[in-house]
Amino acid sequence: MKTILRPALVLFFILTLLTGVVYPLIVTGLAQALFPAQAGGSLILRNGKPVGSALIGQNFTDPKHFWGRPSATGPMPYNAQASGGSNMGPLNPALAAAVKARIAALRSADPHNTAVIPVDLVTASASGLDPHISLAAAQYQLARVAAVRQLPVATVQALIDQHVQRPWPAWLGEPVVNVLSLNLALETAQ
């Protein structure tokens, strides 16, 4: 029994040390050296203080801000510890009710806007944390944000254009806008 148990325990401790300590330290060290911003959480700083992450959405509800995709995390929106979709199918009455409520909120915030509401403004992403909206969603909100902030539409449009992130190569997706970065730029445009 000792001839089998001792080598098994030694191998167990060696593999635990290699895979549980050495490997994570090497990967973390390489990530910090090669990709320091991403390894640090892709934090967005304002006056030297973190105001959010470029990777996790925030719950903007004030009409003077661009609104992001709805979050499916609960009980608090954009809770990174509860990342996950709602798992509601298209025939689920709760999903239909949630979408109707989101449409009503968007129409209430901008009653003169009769354009078709982009789907990403009324449906949550798979993670519930998406920090980006489509270019169409930003364009949909353009007039409301400009009016509430009393800024020329051209000024807000220029900010949107500056914050568009295009995929490379282009066929991999659509252009998106990081909502937090755009809203922070709006704050300095006033």
Side-chain angles (χ1 to χ4, degrees), residues 104-181:
L106 286 162
R107 294 285 185 214
S108 173
D110 192 4
H112 301 296
N113 191 344
T114 58
V116 174
I117 298 173
V119 71
D120 58 323
L121 287 178
V122 295
T123 57
S125 66
S127 69
L129 304 174
D130 197 348
H132 300 96
I133 55 175
S134 66
L135 192 50
Q139 294 295 336
Y140 177 84
Q141 300 178 74
L142 171 64
R144 180 197 79 224
V145 172
V148 172
R149 288 184 175 268
Q150 299 177 345
L151 289 170
V153 170
T155 301
V156 179
Q157 179 65 56
L159 288 173
I160 291 172
D161 294 342
Q162 290 171 11
H163 288 85
V164 171
Q165 299 171 359
R166 300 189 188 282
W168 189 90
W171 51 268
L172 279 181
E174 295 183 25
V176 294
V177 178
N178 186 289
V179 178
L180 176 59
S181 296

